[in-house]
Amino acid sequence: MTSEFRRNATSALQQDDVQTNLNRVVHKLREHRQAAWIAADEWRQLRRHCQAIRENAVRKLPQLLEQLETNLIRNGIQVHWAETAEQANHVVLSIMQRHDAKLIIKGKSMVSEEIALNHFLMQHGIQALETDLGEFIIQLAGEKPAHIIVPALHKNRRQIAELLHRHFPGYAYTEDVDELAQLARKILRDHFQFARVGLTGVNFMIAESGTLCLVENEGNGRMCSTIPPVHIAVTGIEKVVEKLSDIPPLLSILTRSATGQPITTYFNMISAPRQPGEKDGPREVHVVLLDNGRSTSYRDRELAATLRCIRCAACINHCPVYQHIGGHAYGTVIPGPIGSILEPQQRGLDRYGELTQASTLCGACTEVCPVGIPIADILNRLRWDATRQDADCSTPGAGSGYIPAQTALWKLWAWQCTHPGAYRLSTRLATRLRVVLPGYFDAWTNVRTMPKLAKTTLHERLKALGIDHE
Amino acid sequence: MNNARDNILKRLHDYRISEEIPADSDYASHHDWNTEERIKRFSDRMKAVHAEILNATADSWLNELASICSRKNLRNLLLSPHSQWGKQIAAQAERFPPLKYFSQPFEAWKNELFTDVDAAFTGAYAGIADTGTLIIQPSPDEPRSWSLVPPVHIAILEQHRICTTFTEAVARGSIESPLPSNLLLISGPSKSTDIEQTLAYGIHGPQALIVILV
Ligand code: SF4
């Protein structure tokens, strides 16, 4: 993992077009978000409110999940639980097989990426077709999403035009964004009509009413959840909220934080499959509730804050590291600051612990997070977990980053900082030995000059200036 | 799978944090709009996302509808002849393009809906001024897919049903309780910004949304 992440990051930094495309989109997203908050007070109040809603929901997670399950079942929605990605995939597969379906049309779902559903279904002879425009583009390119809201942000219109033309040479080449969108409409329309199973993610679930809420602009999510006879929604267990009145503030802060829109085109609230007397809508609605490590985060008070996330991507859009290396470099399902705290918790510090270092701890993520997740603190906490040797830590892969020499060095440093005599001696020694220090230091000095130590220590200079008691 | 359920819930219950966090109650709507302001805000927001607003009265709305049908060259119009508004249209059918209605289950008319319907007409349950949003409650008469599949969606909304915010709509019971099997908030025609964050309208849902305000 170590070298892979660094290799990815380095190669991303060398790709000028990726840099330009990323910069353009990230800056637009930031501007749009900024423009959506006219009054700073309103933002602060709404954030406080939303943070409390999500914190409350996370605290009551077990009760709310039970309440949600009862109400979903009462409404005629079938509930499936999955502890692992594999279990979730099998749930989807068995539904597909029961309906003898060879094609599944998909609305945007990061959880389906998390469980690598498309790949799994393909191995079982089932085609999964992405229908969100960005996801559709990414699927054609054989890539993974580079962003959780704008999956194809690293591609410009020319690249997208060429890609579509290569796959669908029957349509005239165009770089016009409207025409490209119309092209996708034409290509996908028949699939919407004929697919037997549609799959979507979920943005919120309401426990008190047993309702699934989907946020989208394109209408493909509505297509996938309305037209086929079977709708499957896959979601993490943390997406539940207590009541309907929790929804308006969360929706408002989600869309404004994500793209600056006051609301998306569609907010789709599904509480039941087709009812007697209703003419359309799916005959079966299934919900797959996925744990996949979430209940482990829940055990730890500090890390449980991660479960508040509403996947708005504001932290990603404001991250200087993401802005430079892009989404693919992370090698994870979810990139950026949220990915760097989430993925190590879910998939282990041994595999993804290095991501906690992919931050300058500037705190921009924490500042923009609409549910007040202290991302920078959690990054720090996970850095500690990675090197901890005690048994009190439930984070998977804890202690895997332990390097005895590094720990010894820090201990020595801590010791000398608390012992003035030793401190004076070591700093004096360092200044005297400055000439023998190397003029280069790994990749750091490829693009920077090596800092030079001063001839004398600060203490000595202050003393020489006659300033007493530093 | 039952094992998965019990295992997950057990893990959560074992570490459950009991005290509750009261939601901040100091968050309230910042707007205090009267009816006129609500109508204006609703219309402005809708127009900003490329929806068309037609202002009409209880007497003139049929004229507006007829003229939009001819302006858009609609070959047909899907509507329920049983709804409050649909009845009035059906009574003057000769002023409109051929009217369609489906009384069978979806499977019987799915193909026609995808390939042959130019526009669907539905009522709107309520509106939200702050965001420029229609609250649409599909019903056996006006099913879920009507506001989604045809290229043009025409919705009629009574002005007095426009609330200030979604929060207020929930608080004042402008949303039916218990929630219907499907409830939709629709704010404009379908759109995408997936290519260079540039707006493209009319992707998978309707390419045009027309709201008649009465
Ligand atoms: S951590 Fe906060 S800012 Fe980042 S995606 Fe989640 S909710 Fe949005």
Side-chain angles (χ1 to χ4, degrees), chain A residues 148 309-316 338 365 368-371 373 375:
Chain A
I148 62 174
C309 176
I310 56 170
R311 302 286 191 275
C312 72
C315 58
I316 300 176
I338 176 63
C365 47
V368 296
C369 178
V371 287
I373 302 176
I375 302 174

Side-chain angles (χ1 to χ4, degrees), chain A residues 24-25 28-29 32 42 45-46 48-49 52-53 55-56 59-63 65-66 69 81-83 87 91 131-135 137 149-152 155-158 160 177-178 180-182 184-185 188-189 192-195 206 209 211 217-220 222-223 225-229 237 242 244-245 247-249 251 256 259 261-275 277-283 289 291 295 298-299 301, chain B residues 1-9 11-28 30-31 41 45 49 82 101-107 109-115 128 130-133 136 138-153 165-168 170-171 175-207:
Chain A
R24 174 171 38 215
V25 175
K28 269 196 198 171
L29 288 166
H32 293 167
E42 192 206 348
Q45 268 185 36
L46 186 57
R48 226 182 13 249
H49 188 60
I53 290 173
E55 214 172 315
N56 196 34
R59 290 196 169 197
K60 291 197 198 162
L61 194 54
Q63 302 97 295
L65 283 170
E66 282 165 344
E69 182 190 39
W81 299 76
E83 288 188 85
Q87 284 178 5
V91 170
T131 62
D132 169 84
L133 181 57
E135 294 283 352
I137 293 165
I149 303 269
V150 204
K155 293 195 182 301
N156 60 33
R157 66 178 81 191
R158 188 179 44 74
I160 293 167
V177 172
D178 284 316
L180 286 169
Q182 287 313 304
R185 178 185 174 99
L188 290 170
R189 214 154 163 85
F192 289 134
Q193 189 185 334
F194 296 112
I206 310 172
S209 60
T211 303
N217 278 320
E218 293 182 13
N220 65 311
R222 282 188 67 198
M223 286 281 186
S225 60
T226 309
I227 308 298
I237 49 174
E242 193 170 356
L244 176 62
S245 60
I247 295 293
L251 174 64
R256 289 201 268 179
T259 56
Q261 295 180 82
I263 193 167
T264 50
T265 304
Y266 301 114
F267 185 63
N268 183 4
M269 304 172 80
I270 302 165
S271 301
R274 188 188 305 187
Q275 296 298 290
E278 280 186 73
K279 296 196 181 83
D280 68 0
R283 293 188 182 274
L289 298 170
D291 181 346
S295 59
Y298 185 75
R299 291 170 63 162
R301 282 229 167 174
Chain B
M1 269 317 105
N2 263 332
N3 260 344
R5 173 189 188 275
D6 296 344
N7 294 346
I8 295 169
L9 287 173
R11 277 197 296 272
L12 296 175
H13 273 298
D14 282 351
Y15 290 91
R16 151 174 162 198
I17 306 159
S18 42
E19 84 260 38
E20 200 170 314
I21 307 243
D24 249 46
S25 51
D26 69 350
Y27 176 69
H30 286 244
H31 314 298
R41 173 77 178 195
R45 279 289 192 194
V49 289
H82 309 305
Y101 177 64
F102 302 127
S103 53
Q104 302 290 311
F106 193 32
E107 289 68 25
W109 44 269
K110 192 175 183 180
N111 189 51
E112 197 178 340
L113 183 73
F114 268 86
T115 54
I128 301 169
D130 183 35
T131 51
T133 300
I136 301 271
S139 64
D141 261 340
E142 295 176 346
R144 310 181 190 198
S145 57
W146 285 21
S147 61
L148 176 66
V149 179
V152 177
H153 175 205
T165 60
F166 187 17
T167 304
E168 187 199 283
V170 169
I175 285 180
E176 197 170 275
S177 167
L179 283 169
S181 49
N182 188 207
L183 187 80
L184 297 157
L185 266 53
I186 298 182
S187 312
S190 106
K191 63 178 180 281
S192 174
T193 54
D194 274 347
I195 303 175
E196 295 185 356
Q197 272 293 296
T198 304
L199 270 168
Y201 281 93
I203 175 150
H204 299 304
Q207 294 160 311

